[in-house]
Amino acid sequence: GLEQIQALNLTEDDLPSCPKSSPFLSGPLKVSFPLHLTMDEIAQKNPWVQMGGHYQPPNCWALHHTAVIIPYRARRKHLYQLLYHLHPFLQRQQIHYTIYVVHQIDNNTFNRGKLLNVGFKEAMKENNWQCIYFHDVDLIPEDDRNVYGCSVLPMHSAVAIDKFQYKLPYQTYFGGVTALRPTHYLKINGFPNNYWGWGGEDDDIASRIFLNKMFITRPPAAFGRYRMLKHGHDKGNEVNPKRFHLLSSTHIRWRRNGINTLNYKLLSKEQTQLYTNFTKAPLKYC
Ligand code: UD2
Ligand code: MN
C-alpha cells in the first residue's frame, strides 16, 4: 500500500502516471457465483492485494485513490462474492484502493446512512482518499469500464441493475453504488444518521446533493451494469415507515443531521487479507 511505497520513498515523481484508460480492462464480464468461497481461496487468487484489502498498481502512479465502503451485517456469503469479483475488477482498472467493511454488530434496526458516515470518518483517518465509493454488499459489477474513480460531480454508478430489468427506476435514483469526493461529501454534511430500517436514506442523500446545487453524473448504461445477489428483507431492516415524513424535511434538517452530528464508538478495527473491518459499538455505547 501507500505506506510501503512511502517506506521506499517512492512518490508520484518516481513512477510514470498510469494511462487514462487501463490496458487491462476487459469490458463486459461473465459474472458467475462460485459456491463455497473462502477468504483464503479469494486471497490466493489476489496475491497483489495487501493486508487490509489495499492495492496500488506496482508500476505506475494511479490516477484514482479510492476507498470502497461497504455497509454490512450478517451477509457473509454476499461479502465473499463481492470480494471475489471486486478485487480483480479494481486491479484491472489500475487504481489505488482499499476496501472497508463497516459492521453493525448489534441486533438493533439497521442504519445504513450512519454506517456510511462511520466508514467515511474512519477511512479518512487511514489515508487521504480522493474518492469514496459507497457500495452495497450485494451488487456485483458486470463491466470493468465502470471505473471506480471520482469526477467533478457526485457519481451514481448502479445505473442498470438486473433487479430493475437493467433500467434506472427513476431519474433521481441514487441507490446501490455511489461515489463522492470528500469535499463534496463534507459539503452535503455526509449522510443522515436517523434513517432506521429500510429505505429513504438514498433519496435523502440525493436531496442533499441537489440542495447544494450539485448534480449527479452516471456512467453509460452499458458500463454501469450490476447483478444483485438474491435476498429477502433482512431481519432488523424492516421498511422504515417514517421515511416519507423524514424526506419531506431534508431541506430543513440536512445542516444539523449528518457528519457534524455523528456520534459513535468503534468496537474494533482489524485488517483481514481482503478488507479492513470497522465494527461499530452497539447502540447503547453509540
Ligand atoms: C436498496 C438500495 C440500497 C439502500 C436500500 C434502502 C438498490 C440497488 N440498493 O437496497 O442502496 O438504499 O435500498 O436502505 O436500490 N445490509 C446488510 N445487512 C442487513 C441489511 C442491509 O449488510 O441486514 C446492507 C447491505 O450492504 C445491503 C444494503 O445494506 O446491500 C442495502 O440493503 P438491502 O440490500 O436489503 O436493500 P435493497 O436491495 O432494497
Ligand atoms: Mn440489496
Side-chain angles (χ1 to χ4, degrees):
L2 201 52
E3 306 86 70
Q4 277 174 348
I5 290 204
Q6 276 160 354
L8 290 169
N9 280 329
L10 278 182
T11 69
E12 197 169 354
D13 301 328
D14 301 308
L15 287 169
S17 290
C18 296
K20 265 231 167 74
S21 174
S22 165
F24 305 118
L25 296 183
S26 33
L29 309 168
K30 275 190 216 87
V31 170
S32 62
F33 301 118
L35 298 171
H36 316 303
L37 285 175
T38 64
M39 281 272 268
D40 284 337
E41 195 182 328
I42 304 169
Q44 271 168 30
K45 287 201 154 76
N46 292 280
W48 295 93
V49 173
Q50 295 172 329
M51 207 57 192
H54 305 286
Y55 177 79
Q56 174 135 0
N59 301 317
C60 61
W61 191 264
L63 297 182
H64 301 292
H65 306 271
T66 298
V68 179
I69 297 179
I70 304 166
Y72 178 81
R73 180 168 75 188
R75 294 276 197 103
R76 183 190 293 264
K77 285 189 175 158
H78 289 183
L79 181 60
Y80 285 9
Q81 292 294 343
L82 181 61
L83 294 166
Y84 175 82
H85 289 96
L86 203 52
H87 274 299
F89 172 94
L90 295 171
Q91 289 168 79
R92 287 200 303 277
Q93 297 182 345
Q94 291 191 305
I95 66 179
H96 165 217
Y97 70 87
T98 295
I99 296 182
Y100 297 99
V101 171
V102 198
H103 189 178
Q104 180 173 332
I105 201 170
D106 56 53
N107 292 323
N108 299 308
T109 305
F110 197 70
N111 187 332
R112 181 172 174 272
K114 182 165 180 175
L115 282 178
L116 296 177
N117 279 341
V118 171
F120 174 84
K121 203 134 209 190
E122 293 298 326
M124 292 307 289
K125 286 185 195 165
E126 306 254 303
N127 207 329
N128 180 27
W129 297 112
Q130 301 299 303
C131 180
I132 314 285
Y133 265 71
F134 301 99
H135 206 299
D136 277 7
V137 74
D138 53 20
L139 287 174
I140 311 297
E142 292 188 275
D143 193 306
D144 58 15
R145 292 170 296 179
N146 178 9
V147 176
Y148 279 19
C150 281
S151 76
V152 293
L153 293 172
M155 172 73 82
H156 176 240
S157 303
V159 180
I161 307 176
D162 61 349
K163 160 172 127 149
F164 300 126
Q165 289 74 48
Y166 291 105
K167 289 198 187 86
L168 200 64
Y170 52 98
Q171 198 46 47
T172 57
Y173 173 63
F174 201 62
V177 179
T178 59
L180 287 102
R181 289 186 174 175
T183 47
H184 291 156
Y185 172 91
L186 292 171
K187 191 170 178 197
I188 67 172
N189 195 20
F191 300 148
N193 298 309
N194 64 336
Y195 280 74
W196 298 93
W198 183 92
E201 89 297 341
D202 51 347
D203 294 318
D204 192 292
I205 295 158
S207 273
R208 286 168 183 245
I209 291 169
F210 304 135
L211 288 164
N212 281 278
K213 305 204 164 26
M214 290 187 283
F215 300 98
I216 289 172
T217 183
R218 297 192 171 98
F223 298 1
R225 286 173 74 88
Y226 288 82
R227 284 181 70 178
M228 193 172 93
L229 293 159
K230 291 219 162 59
H231 65 79
H233 257 299
D234 293 289
K235 200 167 160 279
N237 194 27
E238 283 70 35
V239 174
N240 179 4
K242 295 190 184 147
R243 66 193 187 287
F244 299 116
H245 175 73
L246 287 169
L247 275 170
S248 68
S249 58
T250 303
H251 63 293
I252 301 165
R253 290 177 303 93
W254 73 270
R255 290 171 204 272
R256 300 178 269 119
N257 180 344
I259 196 80
N260 68 355
T261 54
L262 177 65
N263 193 3
Y264 72 98
K265 282 204 178 81
L266 269 201
L267 196 61
S268 66
K269 175 164 106 180
E270 65 216 327
Q271 303 219 317
T272 77
Q273 290 169 289
L274 295 165
Y275 60 92
T276 297
N277 183 79
F278 301 129
T279 299
K280 195 178 80 54
L283 201 59
K284 58 183 165 177
Y285 307 103
C286 257

